[in-house]
Amino acid sequence: MLMVKCFLFYLCIGLNIVLAGNSFSEPVTYKIKLDNKVIRSGEVLSVLIDLKIEKNFYVYSSNPEKSLSPTEIEWEDSSLFEIVGILEEPIPQTKFSESLKMEIGYHNSEVNFSQKLKISEKLSPGNYKLNGTFIYQACDPIKCIPHWDDFSLEIDVEPGDARSSFIKDVVTDFNLDNETEKLRSLSQVKSISALIEFFLMAFLAGLAALLTPCVFPMIPITVSFFTQQGESRQGKPLKNAIIYTLGIIATFSILGFILALTLGASGANQLASNPWVNLFIGVLFIYFALSLFGMYEIEVPAKLRQFSLKQEGRGGVIGTLFMAVTFTLTSFTCTVQFIGLLLVAASQGQWFWPMIGMIVFSAAFASPFFFLALFPQYLAKMPKSGGWLNSVKVVMGFLELAAAFKFLSNTDLVMDWGIFTRDSVLAVWSFIFIIMSLYILGKISMPLDSKIKSISIRRIILSSLAFFFGVYLWLGFSNSIKIHGLIESYLPPPVLLESENKEDNWLLNLDDAYEIALKENKPIFIDFTGYTCTNCRWMEINIFPLPEVSELLENNFILVKLYTDGKE
């Protein structure tokens, strides 16, 4: 339940950051000050926060049990002091949130927070700065605007022993040493708990990313590549599988961490939607497909082979790592949403959180492909594997060729070529599967094929499936039938959105949505979508049209689609 609440919270943040840009005045103003700037080591001072909240706005309580985003202070360097007690507040107002299923505490007028700090007894006399971040959300009935405001307070530590008048109130309220130790322990437990929750979130995100459509084409690619590895005796199967898995983990982790440092959480999306990256992947898939057809053998250059230290790993290690990098790039289109959410969540923790999150995410994501890389190699090394194994590779080549057009269409969508449209891609897919069906029956042969002496029932069944699927796609191309939503999500949209301001019941301009929302007094529902986003199209084709969903959206919201790639 907590993970669901956290997911809803981060989703709301993503939506509301856009809405925040249209606020005309600050809904919350505040001052942060100290009750005493001149202090001695071992004494206690109070940090005072005076908030003034405008009408119709509120901020959440500092009680973590009363909010998913409690008002709090994060301190940059706690070696100068010890935190004594929680961020204190007046008794908040409460209301029950139906969406979060919990009691929410809040303040909607002037309110004063305070936090006590005990200056370290080891602190030498001098001037110091207490740096922190004031975290709160300013909410009105339709949106919340998250704030992470940095601040700095100066103190002057003077010589002398701690004065009892500066600590007696604290000692009277509770035993300072015992309570401080409890608070320190609670703080450590909270940090460990938050890290465990983040760890679990990263792991579940990695598993969930396996269910995205862009991962499916990598299954035949992985199987075909490591089948070739097994046939050519390049390396040991277990070693190759481990290298492949570690390559995926390392590439995901390094790439995600670099994007987090340079471009933030949006960096992954920029890479996934880049037309040149998609064009490179599309051409690469065609190159792989022709190799599987037997047109040529992919070999690592001699200089790179000599670079490898172990003879049995020459080419195998480098080629396997290259496949791992390719896998990471091809799956980025669909995993970017999980990675972006992960990097946003990591920004709320310590500096090492993004790296830990990416390692855990990629480890969970790569684990099934360890077995996909392992078993084909053992299968290929079995005696008397026969010509059927080459037929499997050729079939995988057809699938790779079909996958290539998905990435070529992504490039077309962004660069407006008008070549790889929905109809042209659907027609090419139909042709590929019909040709595949003829190949399985032996009507078409490839250079490395063995002569088929008899057609087995298995070949007839597989050929029939490929043929009927090709016909099914052709009927969708001719609009004779409606293509299944999962297949449609791989295709470009039927019509490119250029100057139109409305798609069905969806607006395409946020400013227009604001005007209508004010007139009709409705909240705005934003669909952050993309021309190259397979997950987005799957949602729009399969979920939004459901009667119970469409009725809810159309009757209660002003609907907006904002495209995050290909346009300004």
Side-chain angles (χ1 to χ4, degrees):
M1 180 60 69
L2 178 60
M3 292 298 297
V4 173
K5 291 180 179 179
C6 289
F7 177 78
L8 291 173
F9 165 63
Y10 286 118
L11 181 61
C12 291
I13 287 180
L15 293 174
N16 292 324
I17 285 176
V18 174
L19 296 173
N22 286 269
S23 299
F24 297 102
S25 62
E26 289 293 334
V28 175
T29 56
Y30 63 87
K31 292 182 179 180
I32 303 178
K33 58 185 179 180
L34 297 172
D35 66 340
N36 186 15
K37 293 185 178 180
V38 181
I39 201 76
R40 294 181 183 179
S41 299
E43 294 181 347
V44 175
L45 56 78
S46 294
V47 179
L48 308 176
I49 307 176
D50 302 328
L51 278 80
K52 183 178 180 182
I53 306 170
E54 296 296 329
K55 186 179 180 181
N56 296 327
F57 280 86
Y58 62 90
V59 297
Y60 286 118
S61 165
S62 62
N63 186 345
E65 296 182 358
K66 295 291 183 181
S67 170
L68 289 181
S69 179
T71 300
E72 60 180 336
I73 297 177
E74 285 188 358
W75 295 101
E76 182 177 309
D77 184 4
S78 58
S79 64
L80 303 177
F81 54 83
E82 294 178 0
I83 300 174
V84 181
I86 64 172
L87 185 63
E88 299 177 1
E89 64 178 343
I91 298 176
Q93 299 186 55
T94 59
K95 62 180 180 180
F96 186 78
S97 172
E98 290 290 342
S99 59
L100 299 178
K101 304 299 180 183
M102 64 181 293
E103 195 79 18
I104 296 296
Y106 65 96
H107 303 277
N108 59 2
S109 59
E110 293 186 5
V111 61
N112 301 312
F113 292 93
S114 66
Q115 187 165 65
K116 291 183 173 65
L117 305 177
K118 180 186 177 184
I119 302 301
S120 173
E121 296 178 356
K122 299 179 180 179
L123 206 60
S124 303
N127 295 320
Y128 296 90
K129 286 187 177 181
L130 307 181
N131 299 317
T133 303
F134 181 42
I135 302 173
Y136 68 97
Q137 288 203 59
C139 303
D140 67 10
I142 63 171
K143 64 178 180 296
C144 284
I145 306 171
H147 287 262
W148 292 271
D149 298 344
D150 296 331
F151 66 89
S152 182
L153 301 171
E154 294 186 358
I155 61 171
D156 183 10
V157 179
E158 64 178 14
D161 296 331
R163 295 161 290 188
S164 59
S165 59
F166 282 82
I167 61 174
K168 66 178 183 180
D169 293 336
V170 177
V171 175
T172 300
D173 292 339
F174 52 87
N175 185 287
L176 181 59
D177 293 336
N178 293 340
E179 195 65 25
T180 300
E181 188 62 35
K182 289 180 181 178
L183 289 168
R184 185 185 295 112
S185 299
L186 287 173
S187 177
Q188 292 174 349
V189 169
K190 182 179 179 182
S191 298
I192 295 173
S193 176
L195 183 59
I196 293 174
E197 288 180 7
F198 178 70
F199 187 99
L200 181 60
M201 177 185 178
F203 184 79
L204 294 176
L207 295 180
L210 289 168
L211 304 177
T212 57
C214 298
V215 179
F216 298 157
M218 293 310 300
I219 295 176
I221 292 171
T222 299
V223 172
S224 60
F225 177 80
F226 286 102
T227 300
Q228 279 187 314
Q229 290 273 27
E231 285 184 316
S232 59
R233 312 290 178 177
Q234 291 186 346
K236 297 179 180 179
L238 181 60
K239 176 183 175 182
N240 287 341
I242 292 175
I243 291 173
Y244 183 61
T245 306
L246 293 179
I248 295 172
I249 294 173
T251 308
F252 257 121
S253 301
I254 294 172
L255 188 58
F257 192 64
I258 291 174
L259 291 172
L261 293 177
T262 56
L263 301 176
S266 64
N269 185 62
Q270 295 177 33
L271 179 65
S273 60
N274 186 284
W276 298 108
V277 171
N278 281 276
L279 180 61
F280 169 76
I281 294 173
V283 172
L284 188 65
F285 275 20
I286 295 175
Y287 178 70
F288 286 158
L290 295 178
S291 173
L292 291 173
F293 290 158
M295 302 299 180
Y296 45 78
E297 187 76 18
I298 299 178
E299 294 184 353
V300 178
K303 289 184 178 180
L304 290 180
R305 289 201 303 269
Q306 295 170 2
F307 180 76
S308 182
L309 297 177
K310 294 183 179 180
Q311 185 172 358
E312 69 171 7
R314 290 179 182 177
V317 173
I318 298 174
T320 302
L321 289 175
F322 177 74
M323 281 301 301
V325 174
T326 304
F327 174 89
T328 303
L329 292 176
T330 54
S331 62
F332 237 60
T333 304
C334 286
T335 58
V336 56
Q337 291 81 6
F338 297 94
I339 294 173
L341 179 63
L342 200 62
L343 295 178
V344 170
S347 66
Q348 309 306 310
Q350 301 296 325
W351 63 270
F352 55 85
W353 279 35
M355 180 58 75
I356 291 178
M358 291 307 303
I359 291 174
V360 173
F361 170 88
S362 55
F365 182 75
S367 55
F369 286 89
F370 169 79
F371 298 101
L372 281 176
L374 183 64
F375 292 127
Q377 298 176 81
Y378 280 120
L379 185 65
K381 287 190 175 186
M382 291 175 62
K384 298 180 181 180
S385 56
W388 65 270
L389 198 57
N390 189 70
S391 297
V392 171
K393 290 194 300 181
V394 173
V395 169
M396 297 296 183
F398 281 114
L399 296 178
E400 286 194 39
L401 191 61
F405 283 89
K406 187 265 188 293
F407 293 97
L408 294 176
S409 67
N410 284 348
T411 302
D412 193 330
L413 284 167
V414 177
M415 303 186 75
D416 285 339
W417 291 342
I419 300 174
F420 300 102
T421 62
R422 174 190 178 277
D423 289 345
S424 62
V425 173
L426 202 54
V428 168
W429 282 358
S430 174
F431 178 76
I432 288 174
F433 279 95
I434 291 175
I435 295 297
M436 184 198 299
S437 70
L438 297 177
Y439 168 79
I440 295 173
L441 289 178
K443 303 301 181 182
I444 299 174
S445 63
M446 297 294 177
L448 301 180
D449 281 335
S450 302
K451 186 176 181 180
I452 299 177
K453 297 179 180 180
S454 61
I455 301 176
S456 64
I457 297 296
R458 181 173 55 189
R459 283 184 176 270
I460 293 175
I461 294 175
L462 292 176
S463 175
S464 299
L465 291 175
F467 178 79
F468 286 118
F469 186 67
V471 172
Y472 171 75
L473 294 176
W474 182 263
L475 292 175
F477 161 71
S478 62
N479 294 321
S480 300
I481 61 173
K482 182 177 175 60
I483 293 292
H484 189 274
L486 180 60
I487 301 172
E488 197 74 58
S489 65
Y490 282 90
L491 296 167
V495 179
L496 289 177
L497 304 175
E498 296 291 344
S499 58
E500 299 93 334
N501 190 39
K502 198 169 185 181
E503 179 189 358
D504 298 328
N505 296 318
W506 294 79
L507 297 169
L508 304 176
N509 186 290
L510 187 59
D511 292 332
D512 294 342
Y514 270 111
E515 293 182 9
I516 299 174
L518 288 172
K519 291 179 182 179
E520 299 185 12
N521 193 28
K522 289 183 178 180
I524 296 174
F525 182 95
I526 301 179
D527 172 25
F528 290 98
T529 186
Y531 295 100
T532 62
C533 178
T534 304
N535 295 349
C536 306
R537 193 151 297 115
W538 188 94
M539 176 73 73
E540 293 159 359
I541 292 172
N542 294 280
I543 302 302
F544 286 174
L546 294 175
E548 61 271 27
V549 177
S550 61
E551 182 179 354
L552 177 67
L553 293 178
E554 293 173 10
N555 293 339
N556 297 280
F557 297 94
I558 303 301
L559 307 178
V560 186
K561 281 187 178 181
L562 298 182
Y563 283 79
T564 61
D565 60 357
K567 304 294 174 185
E568 294 182 357

